[in-house]
Amino acid sequence: MMIQETVRKLYELKLYGMAKAFEDQLASAGAGQLSFEERFGMLVDHEATLREDRRLTRLLQAAKLKENACVEDIDFRPGRGLERAEIASLALGRWIRNGLNMIVTGPTGSGKTWLACAFGNQACRQGMSVSFQRLPLLLEDLAVSHSDGSFRKKLAQLAKVDLLIVDDFGLSALNAISRHDLLEVIESRSSGRATLITSQLPISSWHSYLGDKNSTVADAILDRLVSGTHRIELKGESMRKQRSKKSITD
């Protein structure tokens, strides 16, 4: 009865990992040969592992990453413009914790989104919050939020995540409202929050894309995004074409 009561209390206290590990120990003949300290340490380890797994699941669900990518699977074939040492350093996540930005540019199919999602996945595994946003859809959502009064709430949500991934920058035209909305998003994150941008446009073309006839907004956005930013320029043949060729030969 005492054992059943102990298990019940562990579940009531939401110590599910310890409860399950305790039940496993009771069913294991070898567990009795371990010391109290060893058995108790195993219970604590199971609880910590369960909580970490659940936290990672929550972070990944909230991130809504477009690609199931991880840094261990990055393709470093020659000609892509990727250096193992640089990626290994970036994978440590210090740039995110320090609120620095990253810009990934390259032609269609070069793997920009996949690489961004790999860094997003890595950040989640390190306990940081991530939000993946395609810029065209993000700007549509912000435009709607002006009419229903939720703009500031959405801005606050975007401002608090540790890493904001903005995908497809430069893919669709901007109007005056969307330019100012983008500036508000970038401005809200300019003090200690990291932003990762992917774009087909080379950085040298960003000012004309953002500015149109008003260079003030373009200057403000670029000043916050580009200065002190990690830059990765992907090169080479489309990864989609290469995967297609591989599937044909296989």
Side-chain angles (χ1 to χ4, degrees):
M1 288 294 294
M2 182 179 295
I3 290 176
Q4 293 177 349
E5 185 68 11
T6 299
V7 173
R8 183 186 66 80
K9 287 181 179 179
L10 286 173
Y11 278 110
E12 284 184 352
L13 292 170
K14 299 182 178 181
L15 297 172
Y16 304 117
M18 294 185 72
K20 180 62 171 59
F22 185 45
E23 291 175 322
D24 291 343
Q25 287 186 11
L26 293 174
S28 171
Q33 301 177 9
L34 301 174
S35 68
F36 170 79
E37 290 81 3
E38 289 172 327
R39 294 183 66 175
F40 186 70
M42 291 173 64
L43 298 184
V44 174
D45 286 344
H46 276 78
E47 181 64 31
T49 299
L50 178 64
R51 294 193 179 199
E52 183 63 27
D53 289 346
R54 288 185 170 181
R55 183 185 185 190
L56 176 58
T57 298
R58 289 195 299 270
L59 288 171
L60 288 173
Q61 288 176 343
K64 297 180 180 180
L65 299 173
K66 184 177 180 180
E67 301 282 355
N68 183 21
C70 60
V71 293
E72 292 85 356
D73 293 334
I74 292 176
D75 188 342
F76 289 99
R77 73 184 61 185
R80 290 202 70 202
L82 293 173
E83 298 291 338
R84 289 183 182 273
E86 179 186 20
I87 296 300
S89 177
L90 292 171
L92 297 176
R94 286 192 293 262
W95 62 280
I96 302 175
R97 297 184 187 91
N98 292 332
L100 301 177
N101 299 325
M102 181 188 296
I103 297 173
V104 181
T105 57
T108 301
S110 58
K112 300 182 297 296
T113 299
W114 194 97
L115 184 61
C117 289
F119 283 120
N121 176 283
Q122 183 74 355
C124 289
R125 287 156 61 183
Q126 294 172 353
M128 292 181 279
S129 58
V130 179
S131 178
F132 179 91
Q133 302 282 341
R134 287 191 63 245
L135 183 58
L137 295 181
L138 172 61
L139 294 176
E140 285 184 16
D141 289 343
L142 291 175
V144 172
S145 71
H146 283 292
S147 58
D148 64 20
S150 62
F151 179 76
R152 292 192 177 278
K153 179 180 179 180
K154 289 185 178 296
L155 200 63
Q157 291 172 343
L158 294 169
K160 70 180 182 180
V161 295
D162 296 312
L163 175 63
L164 175 64
I165 299 175
V166 180
D167 193 37
D168 288 336
F169 180 90
L171 193 62
S172 57
L174 302 178
N175 57 36
I177 295 176
S178 60
R179 285 190 191 89
H180 281 89
D181 287 348
L182 178 58
L183 174 58
E184 289 295 334
V185 171
I186 300 303
E187 172 62 27
S188 69
R189 301 183 53 77
S190 61
S191 57
R193 299 294 184 182
T195 302
L196 192 162
I197 305 286
T198 74
S199 179
Q200 295 180 33
L201 290 178
I203 297 176
S204 58
S205 300
W206 283 20
H207 193 279
S208 59
Y209 169 70
L210 292 167
D212 193 19
K213 297 180 180 179
N214 183 358
S215 63
T216 303
V217 174
D219 291 340
I221 294 175
L222 290 177
D223 179 65
R224 289 159 176 78
L225 275 183
V226 178
S227 179
T229 296
H230 295 285
R231 303 184 189 184
I232 297 177
E233 183 180 355
L234 293 176
K235 303 172 183 177
E237 185 180 7
S238 168
M239 298 299 289
R240 298 190 188 99
K241 290 182 180 179
Q242 292 184 21
R243 285 194 293 267
S244 177
K245 290 179 181 178
K246 186 176 185 302
S247 64
I248 292 174
T249 56
D250 291 345

